[in-house]
Amino acid sequence: MDIHEYQAKELLKRFGVQVPRGGIAYSPEQAVYRASELSGDKWVVKAQIHSGARGKAGGVRICASEEEVCDAAAWMLGRKLVTHQTGPQGKLVSRLYVEEATAIAQEIYLGFVMDRKLERVVVVASAQGGMEIEEISANEPDSIIRSVVDPAVGMQAFQAREIAFSLGLEPPLIAQAAKTIMGCYALMSDMDANMVEVNPMVVTRAGEIVALDAKISFDDNALYRRPEISELRDKSQEDPRETFAEDRGLSYIGLEGEIGCIVNGAGLAMATLDMIKMAGGDPANFLDVGGGASPERVLMSFQAVLNDPKVEAILVNIFAGINRCDWIAEGVVRAVRELDLDLPIVVRLSGTNVDEGRKLLAESGLAVIAADTLAEAADKVVTAWKDARYKEAS
Ligand code: GDP
Ligand code: MN
């Protein structure tokens, strides 16, 4: 789960990381009021969306007067901001964060990620942080600092100081930078985050270390024990297809293709995506219905898949152990009738109660295409999808 920058900064502050003062605003009037609350004569108006790279898209504006704050706020609010991380549909800006502006001497990149191969948290840092970090890491990979944290002891003060030294910071800044690094790591491990990114962490002209931007992602599987984190969730920033499925306990991930998939088990679901690709199609989603799926659950899976307007055909692939093929078939029949479906549906059933399941489908009189093996099912769904496309076009 992702959270907004202002929420991330609030958390970082609790862990001893210095952040600029600021306030949240929902309207241009409020933005001006927030600016007036903060002393100084320069403010930054920042669009709060679950995406980085806002600066290049106009979502971060430095303002030198209340009029400018008002204009920037009016421009951002209600806008779908398109960054290179949001996809072409963009993300709706409905909250702003207004901060006191910081005079920057240096922008540093500081990231904490899970390295799955090493099974460790890795700290990634660069003395040349800011908006061009992608180019720096592509063109000058050797300039990137990496430091692996031993989970048995956690981030050690000497290790944090070592990173600070490698960044080439002046001696008076080392302790502050180390404190920031320690704070980020403590947040990550205490709050079950799987990613913390501070880009940029800046050295201010006044000689302080400040987290100017912050992005934090939390482990969904640990949210049950972090109610103070789950309440930060902003569903309006999430893929509505994924939210619908997640709210119903379905494991769903939206993809780019046209062939919807309803499968049991994550492994079989992955294999199904591969087989669709090999047959010349493109899957629209990953969906695992889980074990012991009731007909209602199958019906909900159809709804989840069909929430994606790109879906033009559906493949149901069940290898039933705990599941029952007759329940799955019943769910398919209900879905076709209740949702009034007329797109091609291919069903491959195998395992527990398979004969009952196939019989149910055959006797339903519905135009559901049956298949015996996964390879056959993948071929049939891609062929049926192409035929349907051809008919539509002619
Ligand atoms: P992002 O583009 O979504 O990553 O948004 P950031 O919060 O990182 O802001 C983008 C860039 O705007 C930063 O890299 C800074 O160069 C600049 N910026 C942001 N806040 C300030 C500020 O208070 N003062 C100055 N001078 N620049 C800022
Ligand atoms: Mn940033």
Side-chain angles (χ1 to χ4, degrees), residues 5 9 20 42-44 46-47 49 51-57 59-62 83 85 99-104 107 129-132 197-200 202 205 212-215:
E5 174 198 5
K9 282 176 166 167
K42 266 195 184 162
W43 305 273
V44 190
K46 308 186 81 173
I49 54 170
S51 167
R54 296 160 302 168
K56 286 182 178 170
V60 176
R61 283 256 285 277
I62 298 175
T83 75
Q85 293 177 9
E99 278 185 339
E100 58 187 358
T102 304
I104 301 174
E107 300 196 27
M131 297 202 279
E132 311 302 331
E197 188 187 70
V198 178
N199 185 36
V202 300
R205 293 227 194 99
L212 210 59
D213 187 15
K215 211 173 153 186

